[in-house]
Amino acid sequence: MICIYCLSQKTRVLNSRAHRKNPLVWRRRTCTSCGKIFTSYERPSCDDLLIENSHGESNRFNIGTLTISIYLASQHNKKQALYDSFYIAQTVELEVIKISANRLPNDHINTYDLVKITYSILRRFDEAIAMQYAIQQGYISSIKRQRGRPSIQKNDNY
Ligand SMILES: [Zn+2]
C-alpha cells in the first residue's frame, strides 16, 4: 500500500476490521517514512467474474459499463450522477460477489441477474433513477399501472 502523503511503499497496519455484511476489510495504516496515518479498504474485484448473456456467451464483469448505464439513467440530476454512479456501481459489485458466492459453481450470474440486482439497489437509492434504468435496459418493457406489476423481459446490456 502506498502512503497517500509521501508515496512511500512501506506502511504498517495498526488496526484491521472486516465488514460484517460485505466482503470488505478496513485497515488503519501508518507510513514508516513520514509517520502519518491513513485508512485503506481492501475489497475483491469482480473483474474475473464471468457474466453470461442470453446467448450463453460469457464476458468479464465491467464496472465501467455498469457505471455508465447508471449515469445515463440519472440524467434528471447530472451533477449528482457524476458523484453517485460509480459509488452505486461498487455497491452492485459487492452484491454480485455475495450472490455469486452463494450459487453453485456452474450457476453463473447472467446479464438478466445483473440488471435485476442493479434495479433493486437503485430502487433503494432513487425510484426515478431505478425506473429510468429499468426502461433503458428493457427490464420493464411496459409499465402496466392498472395491475401495479411491470412486465419483465430479458436483455443483454447492463
Ligand atoms: Zn508517508
Side-chain angles (χ1 to χ4, degrees), residues 3-8 10-11 30-36 38:
C3 170
I4 61 167
Y5 300 104
C6 73
L7 305 182
S8 162
K10 288 183 180 166
T11 63
T30 182
C31 172
T32 53
S33 298
C34 73
K36 288 185 178 169
F38 63 99

Side-chain angles (χ1 to χ4, degrees), residues 19-133:
H19 193 280
R20 271 192 223 143
K21 292 180 187 166
N22 290 318
L24 286 172
V25 179
W26 169 93
R27 288 194 173 93
R28 204 74 178 133
R29 294 172 180 271
T30 182
C31 172
T32 53
S33 298
C34 73
K36 288 185 178 169
I37 293 170
F38 63 99
T39 301
S40 70
Y41 292 94
E42 187 182 69
R43 49 181 291 146
S45 163
C46 268
D47 290 355
D48 297 316
L49 199 78
L50 294 174
I51 308 287
E52 202 173 278
N53 67 21
S54 61
H55 306 290
E57 298 157 349
S58 294
N59 294 298
R60 289 184 190 283
F61 175 84
N62 188 328
I63 198 163
T65 306
L66 183 62
T67 303
I68 291 166
S69 64
I70 293 168
Y71 174 75
L72 292 175
S74 315
Q75 295 304 289
H76 67 279
N77 191 345
K78 286 186 186 182
K79 201 176 171 192
Q80 193 60 36
L82 286 173
Y83 297 104
D84 294 336
S85 301
F86 184 62
Y87 170 74
I88 297 168
Q90 284 187 311
T91 306
V92 172
E93 186 181 40
L94 289 177
E95 192 64 21
V96 167
I97 290 168
K98 283 194 276 182
I99 290 173
S100 178
N102 286 322
R103 290 195 170 184
L104 294 169
N106 286 328
D107 187 12
H108 298 297
I109 298 274
N110 58 39
T111 48
Y112 178 73
D113 296 325
L114 191 54
V115 169
K116 206 167 119 181
I117 294 164
T118 305
Y119 174 68
S120 70
I121 285 169
L122 283 173
R123 277 194 71 181
R124 298 200 304 248
F125 179 76
D126 185 317
E127 280 282 348
I129 295 172
M131 192 55 74
Q132 193 57 43
Y133 176 82

